[in-house]
Amino acid sequence: MQTPVTAQSLNRGCGCRTLDPERLRRQLEVDPSLVGLYEEIARSRPNLFSATTVFISPEQYQGMTDIIAAIERVVALPEYQAATLVCAPAIASLDHGPQGAFMGFDFHLGARGPQLIEINTNAGGALLNAVLARAQQACCREMEWAFRPPTELMQLEQSFFTMFVEEWHRQRGDTPLGRIVIVDDDPASQYLYPEFQLFERLFARFDAVAVIGDAGELEWREGRLWHAGQIVGMVYNRLTDFYLQDPLHAALRQAYEAGAVVLTPHPRAHALYADKCNLAILSDDHALTRLGVPLALRKTLLAGVPHTEQVVPERADQLWAQRRKLFFKPASGYGSKAAYRGDKLTQRVWQEILTGDYVAQTIAPPSERLTQVDGTAVDLKLDVRAYVYGGNIQLVAARLYSGQTTNFRTPGGGFAPVFVVPMNAAGQVGDE
C-alpha cells in the first residue's frame, strides 16, 4: 500500500539532492557569451544554488495567491494610495504608467498558512530561479511526477520579456521598444551580477538592444538619458536607492521625473508596496476598515499578514517587553540588512532602533527543509518568494538558510526551486 505524499512529508523526510550540475551548466551557458558562467558561480558564489527542492501544497499556493490578490485590491484604493504616498518623497507620486517589474512577495509557511513577511520591489533571482528549476532531476522513479516541468516554466523567458514590453507600452504606447540598460551601482560587484548577464542575453534573444550599466555612468542632457553615447529608452532598475536620492543617481532621477525614460521598477511601486510601514496598515483591522476594505479581504489579510507596527518612542517600553515575539526591520530597508530578532537585541542596538525608522513585526516562524550537506542530514529554514507582475504570480522559488535571516552563506542553502505537490500524489518518502 502506498503512503500518501504531502509537501510537509517531502520537505521533512526526503533529503535527496535533485540538482543536475551538467543540466544547470547548459541552462546557464545557453549563449556562447556565457561560457564559463557556471564555473564562475561555483567559485565566487558557492551557496547561490541549493542542491535540493522545496515542496508546497496546493492549499499553500492558493493561500499565497489569495493574499497577493487582496493586497492588489487594497493598493488600488485611492484612500490607501493617499495614506501611503503622503509619507513618501514627492518622486513617489509620479505615475508614468508602468506597474513595476518583478515584485517579490516573501512568505513563511507554517501551521497558520502562508504568512507574508515583506514585499520587495526589484526582487532579484527570478531568472536564476527559472534556470535552476529546469536543472532538476528526479531522485528516484517514484518521484518522477514531481519533476515534470509545467508548460509555463518552459516559457518563462518569454513571459519575462513580455512583461518588459508591457511596461514599455504602458508609458510609450505603440512606439518600438527602445534601448534597455540594466542598472545598478558597480554592477559587476553585485552578488547577483550573473543574473544581469542572463538578462542581457535574454533581451538579445528577443531582438532587443540591452546592456549592463553603472548608474553613475548615466547622463542627463538635451532632454534625454544617455549611456555610453547612446540614448536610453528603458532602465531595468536593480538599485536599492528606491527613491533615487543618491547624488550618483541624479541623471536617472531627472530623466524619470521628466518622463524621458521608462523606469521599472520605480519609486511609486516601492512606496505603495514595499515600504514596510505599509504592513502596519495591511495587518490592522481598524486601518483597513477606515479605508473601506471589504470584510472578506480584511479577513484574508489579517490571517496572512503578521501584525506589524511602527516603532515609536511612546511604545518603547511595551515593545521592549514583547521583544522576544517580535522581529525588527528598517521601514525602507531591503533584504535582511539591519534586521533583528527581538530575542537577540542588545541595549545598544535597541537604542539605534528607537532612533531609526523601524517596524516591529510579530514573528512568523519559517518552515524547514531537510537537506544533505557533506553526507550529513541538516535542517535548514526556508522562505518562499512569489515573483509577481500585475497581481499575477510568474514564478515561486525558495531560499534555504540558517541563522536569523535569509543569506547566501549557508552550506547547502541558497535558491531552491519550488514544486506544488498534486492532490493525488502517492509514493514512499525517505532519505536517499
Side-chain angles (χ1 to χ4, degrees), residues 166-189:
E166 170 69 13
E167 291 287 87
W168 174 267
H169 289 324
R170 290 179 70 88
Q171 184 169 342
R172 293 286 184 256
D174 293 332
T175 59
L177 183 63
R179 184 181 182 87
I180 303 167
V181 182
I182 305 160
V183 165
D184 206 339
D185 291 321
D186 190 10
S189 71

Side-chain angles (χ1 to χ4, degrees), residues 282-410:
L282 297 172
S283 62
D284 184 334
D285 192 35
H286 294 296
L288 293 171
T289 301
R290 287 196 301 271
L291 294 175
V293 179
L295 177 60
L297 295 184
R298 298 204 311 268
K299 287 183 176 179
T300 297
L301 292 171
L302 296 175
V305 182
H307 178 74
T308 306
E309 62 178 287
Q310 291 181 265
V311 176
V312 293
E314 296 79 10
R315 289 273 296 154
D317 291 343
Q318 296 94 322
L319 292 173
W320 177 255
Q322 300 165 6
R323 67 189 184 281
R324 296 183 183 280
K325 299 179 181 179
L326 300 173
F327 206 97
F328 296 88
K329 305 176 181 182
S332 297
Y334 62 96
S336 58
K337 291 186 180 296
Y340 305 97
R341 279 183 63 102
D343 56 359
K344 306 292 185 182
L345 284 183
T346 64
Q347 272 293 336
R348 180 188 63 79
V349 172
W350 177 236
Q351 294 307 312
E352 293 177 359
I353 289 173
L354 289 177
T355 57
D357 184 16
Y358 270 75
V359 299
Q361 184 180 70
T362 300
I363 291 175
S367 53
E368 294 184 331
R369 177 69 171 104
L370 177 72
T371 187
Q372 296 285 331
V373 179
D374 296 329
T376 302
V378 176
D379 286 322
L380 296 181
K381 301 172 185 176
L382 70 90
D383 72 0
V384 171
R385 169 169 287 178
Y387 294 93
V388 174
Y389 178 65
N392 297 312
I393 296 178
Q394 299 169 302
L395 175 69
V396 177
R399 292 175 294 182
L400 303 182
Y401 64 100
S402 62
Q404 288 193 62
T405 56
T406 53
N407 57 65
F408 291 97
R409 297 184 297 273
T410 302

